[in-house]
Amino acid sequence: MDLLIGSHVSFKKDTQLLGSAMEAVSFHENTFMFYTGAPQNTSRSDLNEELTKKAFEYMKEHQIDPKNVIVHAPYIINLANTSNMDSWNFAVSFLKQEIKRCEKLGMERLVLHPGSSVKLSREEGIQNIIHALNNVLEPDQKVSILLETMAGKGTELGVSFDELKEIMDGVDDSSHLMVCMDTCHLNDAGYDLNEFDSILEEFDQKIGLSKLGCIHINDSKNPCGSHKDRHANIGYGMIGFDTLLSIIYHEKLKEVPKILETPYVGNDWEDKNRIYPPYRFEIEMIREKKFHPDLLSEIIHCYKKD
Ligand code: FE
Ligand code: FE
Ligand code: ZN
């Protein structure tokens, strides 16, 4: 099977899933991930069925299996914090609607940041997440929620496999719960990715490899255990190209979609507001299996030419 790789792409009001799929193909990807609106807010426009239908035809023509396409829930919804019940209730009902939106779009995997405990204890936060998920999950739903492994910035929960396991074990019916690993977050949470085989072993024992539904491939600006969550371009951070490559091409992860969420490049002194998506170039470098130390300047150069 061909390497299953894509990136975060946009989802625009007027082109919707079709636009997202076309953006992914323009980056030479065979899968992709999108938010159904702005990542940082919860305003969502109506879905256009005609565009969804066209998107499915387009994906078929371009060998993209919709089962491998990922949706990401907005990162401001926090299921862990019940200090303000209005916002917790809103988060729960938003998530229910988001699952409906995924169903309408024919999407089966929705990535979610578990939440932050803020002023509550970690244990209370975890119990709130469990309670929220029990509220949200329906036995006959087609969509799985993928809990993402977090860096541990602030009071984020889900920073270890044990915390994710506690959530999954606590939910009444976890058949629609899976996990999304994020290499930057794992590194920042304190997992040494040079020992990825033993990390995968631990994951398999605690949660089960079949529950791994997606991997976000990002380098990290910070060292292992820093709890920072600042993504770096592939090979330009503290994880490094070879370690990321060994994860991307891991024998046991062939069927798991790999999604890049690396930063756009540019914003240099010459061209202050221009930033460019790096994905086509990073994916080419990954396919070549050879690190280009000048990739970021090559990207800027390439975009400026056309
Ligand atoms: Fe995420
Ligand atoms: Fe991520
Ligand atoms: Zn992150």
Side-chain angles (χ1 to χ4, degrees):
M1 199 175 82
D2 201 16
L3 176 67
L4 205 48
I5 194 159
S7 69
H8 170 211
V9 296
S10 60
F11 180 92
K12 295 186 179 111
K13 201 178 161 185
D14 51 341
T15 54
Q16 302 196 355
L17 187 59
L18 178 60
S20 306
M22 289 174 81
E23 189 175 331
V25 167
S26 82
F27 298 153
H28 305 173
E29 303 175 354
N30 52 19
T31 183
F32 57 95
M33 180 179 82
F34 64 95
Y35 293 74
T36 61
Q40 69 279 10
N41 71 44
T42 51
S43 90
R44 295 292 181 263
S45 42
D46 289 339
L47 296 171
N48 176 325
E49 274 176 47
E50 196 55 38
L51 285 170
T52 307
K53 220 181 109 202
K54 282 191 181 144
F56 268 71
E57 286 161 13
Y58 183 85
M59 285 189 276
K60 198 168 177 202
E61 279 164 31
H62 291 86
Q63 286 82 43
I64 294 176
D65 184 345
K67 285 191 170 44
N68 294 321
V69 178
I70 312 286
V71 182
H72 199 310
Y75 44 73
I76 54 142
I77 63 172
N78 185 0
L79 303 181
N81 186 13
T82 47
S83 305
N84 178 336
M85 278 314 281
D86 287 342
S87 29
W88 187 81
N89 284 323
F90 176 79
V92 169
S93 71
F94 181 87
L95 194 53
K96 285 184 188 168
Q97 289 168 40
E98 191 71 351
I99 289 170
K100 294 260 148 52
R101 260 191 297 274
C102 286
E103 276 171 359
K104 267 196 174 169
L105 286 165
M107 298 288 113
E108 297 177 11
R109 291 183 186 181
L110 174 62
V111 170
L112 174 74
H113 294 180
S116 296
S117 58
V118 193
K119 291 194 172 114
L120 307 177
S121 70
R122 294 188 81 78
E123 195 45 45
E124 284 172 304
I126 285 176
Q127 291 310 316
N128 290 334
I129 295 169
I130 292 170
H131 186 197
L133 290 172
N134 277 335
N135 243 293
V136 165
L137 293 164
E138 311 258 8
D140 58 343
Q141 74 185 54
K142 287 203 185 72
V143 179
S144 288
I145 293 182
L146 278 58
L147 301 173
E148 184 166 348
T149 62
M150 301 308 290
K153 192 173 69 180
T155 60
E156 275 172 356
L157 300 164
V159 295
S160 65
F161 300 153
D162 290 301
E163 277 186 354
L164 292 173
K165 179 180 165 55
E166 193 183 343
I167 297 169
M168 295 170 94
D169 287 349
V171 168
D172 297 334
D173 176 6
S174 61
S175 56
H176 293 102
L177 282 183
M178 294 180 91
V179 171
C180 170
M181 284 187 186
D182 182 310
T183 54
C184 168
H185 298 175
L186 284 173
N187 172 78
D188 289 17
Y191 288 91
D192 178 1
L193 294 175
N194 293 306
E195 309 292 330
F196 190 69
D197 279 330
S198 60
I199 293 174
L200 217 52
E201 183 68 27
E202 183 195 335
F203 183 86
D204 195 29
Q205 270 163 24
K206 291 180 172 160
I207 295 171
L209 258 189
S210 63
K211 286 284 188 184
L212 185 60
C214 179
I215 306 188
H216 292 165
I217 303 289
N218 303 302
D219 213 324
S220 173
K221 291 209 159 107
N222 293 289
C224 182
S226 58
H227 304 296
K228 287 279 203 323
D229 191 5
R230 302 220 21 236
H231 301 188
N233 291 99
I234 304 301
Y236 282 80
M238 310 279 291
I239 300 174
F241 188 70
D242 292 339
T243 302
L244 288 171
L245 213 62
S246 71
I247 298 169
I248 294 167
Y249 285 102
H250 200 286
E251 265 299 305
K252 292 184 174 164
L253 305 180
K254 278 190 173 150
E255 276 156 37
V256 182
K258 327 279 182 316
I259 301 289
L260 273 63
E261 302 174 301
T262 49
Y264 276 36
V265 300
N267 224 343
D268 54 320
W269 54 274
E270 231 183 283
D271 213 347
K272 278 234 171 314
N273 300 307
R274 308 290 301 173
I275 50 170
Y276 312 101
Y279 306 122
R280 178 158 65 90
F281 306 89
E282 287 180 313
I283 288 170
E284 196 179 293
M285 181 171 77
I286 287 167
R287 290 205 173 105
E288 273 177 26
K289 303 188 183 178
K290 194 175 174 302
F291 182 57
H292 294 204
D294 297 321
L295 188 78
L296 302 188
S297 43
E298 283 164 24
I299 294 174
I300 295 171
H301 186 76
C302 198
Y303 277 106
K304 279 186 176 163
K305 252 185 349 208
D306 36 66

